């Protein structure tokens, strides 16, 4: 009897191929450290999604509410969550994260655990539920839905005590069980400080590493919403991380890795950690306006198209996602200035990346070098590289060169101030440079943690941006006469008495040293008798150091204003970028 071993063995080998391939992939992945979960892969592919900030702050013209604002203030005339969803979809957003409860504690759904919610507002006679309406609108438009729930609650009388943690979890359970699938839960990093706290009007501090008992909360989330990702910048590592700024950019070097334990200094948040032991990619959050909540004074300061594109390149184009905020106006809708700019933003992205010039070119790869040869001299100014991050993040550094008139010319990322900026790749890396006309483009991986797995290389010609409404500018006030009478006291004086309606403070940029977080403003007509004009906090000023406006309840007549820095973020001497006084 003759045995045909080939016929016998071939079916066995064919059956084993998927197993062998899987084993090879597992070996490939394990060679470079942590890899993303299926949830993280799905989230990364979303690339852009919207934040929606809307609460009582919208009606008090604040960024952070104190916790004692009247629920009766919430009575929008034309609230339309479907308009929000349509605008966000047209702006290229794949989902929406909604501020179900901000720091003031007011709940945008009729929570069974508090009276401080929409159920005690005039809107829809207390029968409304903004979370429900938005969740339904998202599903109608094919968008994912997620919730922001502030751990800090300046209204609740038990905040800072064990009873509040149970209350917090009960609210979270409501949101995770009554509104369908949730793709992300967002926990703000601002925790503890002064607040109303049921009338106590005091400052309460908590140990954010232990107070909330995050491991138990995480366990509950994963049981109730298995596909949900957790955003948290505390010591208990979530699935996603903050990138250390609200300006709309992440580091040009950006690892999707972090240490699983310990404190997280700014550089880790901004750049990731090459040798981190958990996969924790960065999410870049910023607002389409200077502030997070709607302020009428910012209607003409919606970010320009060029600024939004810069944000896109420095977030999605740097191995991150972009979480772009659209605040809701008091009437309950996204303002036309915001919606039109958001839609134009998406159209520009589509225009930039509609034609991949590399598709019609010849590609040759030898080892770590890929040469793209065009059929004829070709103009381009954008380069895209993508790793298959399913098997980890591997590339540490690469070089990019164009052959122009027979000479290889190095290209660098023009959005990076120091160095060429050609470091990590990850999910997607976009390199921007002045337009060149070349016959070849050479991509060389010069350093990697393990054998690189490049999924895509693309070449594009971005059109020149036409002029549009500029970004929020920083008006200078050089005509003011101001001086310091002490390290924490600024005086502004005039030759004659002024009728003043508001005061503006621009904090120092790129530093916390001397930044004013709490203030008292005084006025005088004679340097002797002083009247308190206003006092309070510049909420969120550390993370979002934009112009801060102090509006007076009524016009104030004064020859001198005195700004007292009651509290500084760091340091002992008040600092400022600029000040401005608005007079009648």
């Amino acid at each position: 009897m003759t045995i045909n071993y080939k016929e016998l063995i071939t079916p066995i080998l064919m059956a084993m191929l998927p197993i062998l391939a899987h084993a090879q992939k597992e070996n490939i992945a394990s060679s470079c450290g942590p890899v993303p979960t299926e949830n993280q892969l799905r989230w990364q592919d979303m690339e852009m999604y919207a934040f929606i900030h809307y609460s009582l702050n919208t009606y008090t013209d604040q960024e952070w509410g104190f916790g004692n604002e009247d629920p009766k203030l919430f009575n929008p005339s034309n609230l339309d969550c479907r308009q929000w969803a349509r605008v966000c979809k047209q702006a290229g957003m794949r989902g929406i994260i909604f501020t179900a409860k901000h720091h003031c504690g007011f709940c945008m759904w009729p929570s069974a655990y508090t009276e401080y919610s929409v159920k005690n507002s005039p809107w829809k006679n207390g029968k409304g539920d903004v979370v429900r309406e938005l969740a339904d609108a998202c599903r109608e438009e094919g968008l994912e839905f997620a919730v922001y729930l502030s751990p800090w609650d300046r209204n609740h009388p038990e905040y800072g005590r064990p009873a509040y943690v149970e209350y917090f979890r009960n609210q979270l359970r409501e949101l995770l069980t009554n509104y369908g699938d949730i793709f992300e839960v967002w926990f703000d990093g601002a925790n503890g400080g002064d607040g109303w706290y049921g009338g106590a009007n005091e400052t309460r501090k908590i140990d954010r590493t232990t107070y909330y008992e995050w491991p138990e909360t995480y366990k509950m989330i994963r049981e109730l919403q298995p596909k949900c990702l957790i955003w948290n910048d505390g010591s208990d590592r979530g699935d996603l991380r903050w990138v250390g700024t609200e300006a709309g950019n992440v580091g040009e070097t950006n690892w999707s890795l972090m240490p699983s334990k310990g404190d997280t200094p700014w550089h880790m948040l901004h750049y990731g950690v090459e040798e981190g032991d958990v996969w924790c990619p960065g999410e870049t959050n910023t607002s389409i306006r200077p502030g997070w909540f709607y302020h009428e004074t910012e209607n003409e300061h919606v970010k320009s198209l060029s600024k939004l594109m810069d944000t896109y390149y420095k977030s999605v184009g740097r191995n991150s996602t972009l979480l772009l905020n659209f605040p809701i106006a008091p009437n309950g809708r996204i303002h036309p200035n915001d919606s039109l700019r958001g839609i134009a933003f998406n159209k520009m992205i589509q225009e930039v990346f509609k034609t991949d010039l590399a598709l019609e070119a010849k590609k040759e790869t030898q080892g770590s070098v890929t040469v793209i040869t065009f059929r004829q001299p070709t103009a381009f100014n954008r380069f895209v590289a993508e790793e298959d991050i399913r098997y980890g993040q591997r590339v540490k550094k690469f070089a990019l060169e164009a052959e122009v008139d027979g000479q290889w010319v190095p290209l660098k990322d023009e959005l990076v101030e120091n160095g060429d900026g050609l470091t990590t790749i990850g999910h997607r890396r976009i390199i921007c440079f002045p337009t060149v006309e070349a016959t070849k483009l050479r991509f060389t991986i010069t350093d990697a943690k393990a054998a690189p797995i490049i999924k895509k290389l693309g070449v594009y010609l971005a059109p020149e941006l036409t002029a549009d409404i500029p970004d929020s500018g920083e008006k200078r006030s050089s005509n003011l006469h101001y001086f310091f009478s002490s390290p924490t006291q600024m005086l502004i004086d005039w030759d004659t008495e002024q009728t003043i309606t508001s005061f503006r403070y621009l904090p120092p940029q790129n530093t916390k040293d001397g930044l004013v977080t709490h203030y008292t403003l005084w006025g005088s007509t004679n340097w002797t008798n002083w009247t308190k004009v206003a006092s309070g906090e510049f909420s969120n000023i550390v993370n979002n150091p934009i112009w801060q406006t102090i509006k007076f309840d009524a016009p104030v007549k004064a020859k001198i204003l005195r700004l007292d820095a009651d509290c500084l973020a760091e340091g002992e001497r008040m600092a400022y970028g600029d000040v401005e006084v608005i007079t009648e």
Side-chain angles (χ1 to χ4, degrees):
M1 178 179 176
T2 302
I3 300 175
N4 188 329
Y5 289 99
K6 183 178 180 180
E7 290 181 358
L8 180 65
I9 295 173
T10 297
I12 299 173
L13 290 174
M14 293 299 291
M16 289 180 66
L17 279 177
I19 300 172
L20 292 170
H22 178 74
Q24 183 183 25
K25 289 177 181 177
E26 288 297 313
N27 183 57
I28 289 172
S30 64
S31 68
C32 70
V35 297
T37 64
E38 289 298 322
N39 287 347
Q40 288 169 322
L41 285 170
R42 185 170 52 250
W43 163 87
Q44 190 92 55
D45 284 338
M46 290 178 69
E47 295 191 347
M48 296 199 306
Y49 40 98
F51 232 164
I52 294 285
H53 274 65
Y54 187 39
S55 186
L56 289 178
N57 298 352
T58 307
Y59 301 94
T60 58
D61 204 23
Q62 299 179 106
E63 285 288 292
W64 288 2
F66 191 66
N68 61 351
E69 294 78 18
D70 192 340
K72 292 183 174 59
L73 292 171
F74 189 80
N75 192 23
S77 60
N78 192 21
L79 192 152
D80 186 355
C81 290
R82 283 164 180 78
Q83 187 250 3
W84 309 357
R86 288 193 299 270
V87 167
C88 290
K89 184 175 182 178
Q90 290 177 303
M93 306 294 123
R94 305 285 182 86
I96 293 175
I97 301 179
F98 179 57
T99 52
K101 183 188 80 169
H102 205 254
H103 308 324
C104 68
F106 184 75
C107 297
M108 301 295 280
W109 79 101
S111 174
Y113 299 97
T114 182
E115 296 304 304
Y116 200 52
S117 80
V118 289
K119 68 184 179 184
N120 284 313
S121 75
W123 178 62
K124 293 194 171 183
N125 297 315
K127 304 299 182 183
D129 184 341
V130 185
V131 178
R132 165 66 58 206
E133 292 193 14
L134 182 55
D136 291 346
C138 283
R139 268 130 210 160
E140 288 178 16
E141 293 295 331
L143 299 176
E144 300 289 332
F145 180 64
V147 291
Y148 163 117
L149 184 68
S150 171
W152 186 20
D153 191 318
R154 302 173 96 174
N155 171 268
H156 201 279
E158 295 301 313
Y159 181 79
R161 302 164 184 156
Y164 173 77
V165 178
E166 181 180 358
Y167 167 79
F168 176 67
R169 287 199 189 127
N170 284 335
Q171 289 195 317
L172 184 57
R173 187 176 290 107
E174 285 182 315
L175 293 171
L176 297 182
T177 56
N178 296 330
Y179 299 97
D181 289 341
I182 304 293
F183 79 85
E184 184 176 337
V185 174
W186 218 92
F187 297 126
D188 202 296
N191 288 280
D194 55 348
W196 190 66
Y197 303 126
N201 288 310
E202 62 187 17
T203 299
R204 295 183 181 177
K205 302 291 186 181
I206 55 103
D207 181 348
R208 45 191 305 220
T209 64
T210 59
Y211 173 63
Y212 296 107
E213 301 173 359
W214 285 120
E216 286 300 310
T217 302
Y218 287 8
K219 181 180 177 182
M220 182 185 79
I221 294 170
R222 300 199 193 284
E223 289 175 351
L224 297 176
Q225 292 279 347
K227 295 183 179 180
C228 179
L229 292 170
I230 299 169
W231 186 101
N232 197 353
D233 72 342
S235 60
D236 287 280
R237 192 76 62 224
D239 303 304
L240 311 171
R241 76 176 198 271
W242 184 46
V243 298
T245 178
E246 295 175 357
N249 63 82
V250 68
E252 65 276 8
T253 297
N254 180 22
W255 293 99
S256 293
L257 306 174
M258 292 288 284
S260 57
K261 300 293 183 182
D263 293 333
T264 310
W266 183 86
H267 71 274
M268 287 186 181
L269 293 171
H270 201 60
Y271 299 103
V273 179
E274 181 182 335
E275 301 303 326
D277 59 349
V278 294
W279 189 273
C280 189
E283 176 188 80
T284 304
N285 62 315
T286 193
S287 182
I288 201 166
R289 290 171 172 239
W292 290 95
F293 284 91
Y294 176 89
H295 307 286
E296 185 177 5
T297 55
E298 295 179 357
N299 283 349
E300 302 308 318
H301 298 304
V302 177
K303 287 177 178 171
S304 68
L305 187 54
S306 59
K307 178 60 178 176
L308 289 173
M309 287 304 298
D310 180 78
T311 297
Y312 179 82
Y313 293 134
K314 292 178 179 178
S315 56
V316 176
R318 290 182 176 175
N319 186 39
S320 177
T321 58
L322 174 57
L323 176 56
L324 182 62
N325 181 64
F326 291 83
I328 304 303
N331 65 353
R333 299 169 68 90
I334 296 176
H335 192 277
N337 290 6
D338 305 59
S339 60
L340 290 173
R341 190 55 49 79
I343 293 168
F345 173 43
N346 184 38
K347 288 181 177 178
M348 180 54 68
I349 294 172
Q350 302 307 315
E351 179 67 20
V352 170
F353 297 103
K354 71 178 181 180
T355 303
D356 184 355
L357 301 172
L359 292 178
E360 298 298 322
K362 180 182 177 182
K363 292 181 184 175
E364 294 179 291
T365 300
Q366 291 187 350
S368 61
V369 180
T370 298
V371 177
I372 301 172
T373 304
F374 303 101
R375 295 179 177 178
Q376 58 188 16
T378 300
F380 53 89
N381 52 24
R382 300 289 184 271
F383 175 79
V384 174
E386 298 178 5
E387 290 184 81
D388 192 341
I389 60 170
R390 185 177 298 272
Y391 308 114
Q393 189 179 354
R394 297 156 174 262
V395 177
K396 296 171 66 173
K397 191 170 179 60
F398 61 96
L400 202 59
E401 302 162 285
E403 188 181 63
V404 181
D405 297 328
Q407 299 291 320
W408 285 106
V409 178
L411 301 175
K412 60 170 289 184
D413 191 340
E414 66 179 351
L415 302 183
V416 177
E417 292 183 6
N418 299 312
D420 58 19
L422 307 181
T423 52
T424 50
I425 294 177
H427 177 260
R428 176 171 298 165
R429 185 63 196 273
I430 302 173
I431 305 299
C432 303
F433 44 87
T435 302
V436 297
E437 188 171 283
T439 52
K440 294 181 181 180
L441 180 66
R442 186 162 65 191
F443 166 73
T444 306
I445 297 172
T446 58
D447 196 6
K449 296 175 67 175
I453 304 177
I454 302 298
K455 185 168 67 172
K456 176 182 177 179
L457 298 177
V459 182
Y460 303 87
L461 177 62
E464 295 293 329
L465 282 174
T466 55
D468 59 5
I469 298 173
D471 301 351
S472 173
E474 297 181 355
K475 293 186 289 184
R476 304 303 300 174
S477 305
S478 56
N479 60 323
L480 287 180
H481 175 231
Y482 46 88
F483 59 96
F484 288 91
S485 58
S486 77
T488 59
Q489 189 174 88
M490 173 190 284
L491 292 166
I492 304 170
D493 68 329
W494 292 268
D495 293 334
T496 59
E497 186 178 281
Q498 307 289 315
T499 301
I500 306 166
T501 58
S502 58
F503 177 86
R504 303 182 74 214
Y505 166 76
L506 178 68
Q509 303 296 293
N510 304 315
T511 180
K512 298 178 184 178
D513 190 33
L515 186 150
V516 179
T517 61
H518 292 72
Y519 66 88
T520 302
L521 192 65
W522 305 82
S524 175
T525 57
N526 57 12
W527 291 93
T528 302
N529 300 314
W530 293 91
T531 301
K532 182 190 291 187
V533 175
S535 65
E537 68 178 354
F538 292 132
S539 54
N540 200 34
I541 192 173
V542 173
N543 294 325
N544 195 23
I546 61 174
W547 277 103
Q548 308 290 316
T549 301
I550 303 172
K551 291 184 177 180
F552 303 165
D553 293 334
V556 172
K557 293 186 179 298
K559 276 188 67 177
I560 314 102
L561 281 182
R562 189 181 86 205
L563 175 66
D564 288 346
D566 299 330
C567 185
L568 301 177
E570 290 182 2
E572 299 179 352
R573 180 178 293 275
M574 181 198 308
Y576 66 100
D578 195 12
V579 294
E580 185 177 43
V581 177
I582 311 300
T583 59
E584 284 189 345

